[in-house]
Amino acid sequence: MYPKTGLCFLLLGACLAAPLAAHAESLPDTVDKVRPSIVGVGTQSPTRQPPVSFLGTGFAVASGNLIVTNAHVVPPVLDPEGKEKLGILVRQNGQAVFREAELVGSDKAHDLALLRIAGVPLPPLTIGDSSRVREGEEVAFTGFPIGMVLGLYPATHTGRVAGITPIVLPALTSRQLDTKVVKRLQSGAFSIFQLDATAYPGNSGSPVYEPETGKVIGIINMVFVKGTKEAALTAPSGITYAIPSNFIDELLRAKAP
C-alpha cells in the first residue's frame, strides 16, 4: 500500500501527464486526415522535359473540387504553343499524377487563388476562424518545402504563432520605400501571422492548421509577404509568414459555385 500522500502525488502526476499524452497522439492523427487534401500546383507541357513543372502547394476545400493556393504560384500566362496546362499533382497508386485545373477566382490583394478540378473530389479541409487566433498558439502546416525533388511526399512542420502584425508598416525614411511597399500602403494593410517555424518557397500555399482539429487558420506565403514586410532589411529574416484564413473564406463565398 502506498501512503496516502504518495498516492495523491501519483494520481496527480497521472492527471497531469494524461493531457500531454493525448496532445502528443493527436497531431499524427490530424496529419493522417490532412495529408490526402494536400496537392502540388504546377503546369504540364508535352514539349518540355520534364513535362511537369512544380510551382507550389495547394489544398482542397469546400466540395473537394476546389483548390486554394497562393496567387503568385499560378503563372499569369500559359504557353499555348507548348500546349501548357495548369493543374495539380496528387499521389495515386504510388505515383505523382497530374490533374488539369482551371483558375476560377483570385484575390491578388491577399495573394490567394482558387482552382477547380474535374473528376473525383479530394477530401476537403475545414476553414477555421482566424480572427480567434492568439499569439503563442501551436500550429502545424503541411506542404512540399522542396517541391518534387525527392518525390511528391508532403512534409509537416510545427511551431507557434510568434506574432500578429500588419503586412507592411510605413517606412521610417524615404530610402526604405520601394514600389511593392508603396503599392501595399495604397491598397491597405492587413494583419498577418508570423510563425516561429521554417518554411521554404515550395511551401507557398500550404495550409496552416490547428494540430488538434485540422481546421485551417492560415496559408503559408513565402514571396508576397516577404516582398513588403522585409523590404527595409538587407538580409532575409528567416521568419515564416501566413495569410489569415478568413480571407480564404471570403474568396470562397465570392467565387465558389
Side-chain angles (χ1 to χ4, degrees):
M1 293 292 292
Y2 292 103
K4 290 185 177 180
T5 54
L7 181 59
C8 288
F9 279 117
L10 286 173
L11 292 174
L12 178 60
C15 291
L16 291 175
L20 295 177
H23 175 74
E25 294 173 357
S26 68
L27 180 57
D29 292 338
T30 301
V31 171
D32 284 343
K33 295 177 182 178
V34 167
R35 193 185 300 111
S37 306
I38 308 301
V39 303
V41 177
T43 62
Q44 182 186 60
S45 172
T47 62
R48 188 171 58 201
Q49 288 298 328
V52 174
S53 176
F54 175 92
L55 300 173
T57 301
F59 56 97
V61 294
S63 63
N65 289 104
L66 294 175
I67 306 295
V68 173
T69 187
N70 288 151
H72 77 260
V73 167
V74 180
V77 179
L78 298 175
D79 178 14
E81 294 184 1
K83 299 180 180 180
E84 187 178 28
K85 298 179 180 179
L86 175 67
I88 65 167
L89 294 153
V90 296
R91 284 188 62 79
Q92 185 175 317
N93 298 325
Q95 295 183 336
V97 176
F98 183 86
R99 294 180 61 178
E100 191 173 350
E102 63 172 327
L103 178 66
V104 294
S106 65
D107 175 2
K108 293 186 177 180
H110 302 103
D111 197 33
L112 298 173
L114 190 63
L115 312 180
R116 182 188 291 119
I117 56 173
V120 179
L122 300 174
L125 297 183
T126 301
I127 306 300
D129 184 0
S130 58
S131 66
R132 302 175 66 87
V133 174
R134 301 172 63 191
E135 293 181 1
E137 284 191 22
E138 293 184 358
V139 295
F141 58 90
T142 301
F144 303 100
I146 54 175
M148 296 178 60
V149 174
L150 300 178
L152 194 69
Y153 297 96
T156 298
H157 301 267
T158 60
R160 294 181 183 274
V161 177
I164 303 175
T165 65
I167 188 173
V168 65
L169 294 173
L172 298 177
T173 68
S174 60
R175 286 180 298 179
Q176 294 177 333
L177 289 172
D178 64 14
T179 55
K180 289 183 179 179
V181 175
V182 171
K183 188 175 180 179
R184 171 51 52 201
L185 288 170
Q186 290 175 339
S187 61
F190 58 93
S191 292
I192 55 172
F193 300 141
Q194 293 182 187
L195 310 180
D196 66 345
T198 303
Y200 298 89
N203 276 122
S204 286
S206 299
V208 180
Y209 53 89
E210 299 172 349
E212 297 85 0
T213 67
K215 288 184 178 180
V216 177
I217 55 90
I219 179 171
I220 295 291
N221 191 295
M222 297 302 295
V223 174
F224 175 77
V225 175
K226 281 183 180 290
T228 52
K229 187 70 174 175
E230 300 185 2
L233 301 181
T234 57
S237 68
I239 296 173
T240 292
Y241 300 104
I243 305 293
S245 63
N246 282 0
F247 296 115
I248 299 175
D249 200 37
E250 291 178 5
L251 178 60
L252 285 171
R253 288 199 302 267
K255 299 296 183 180

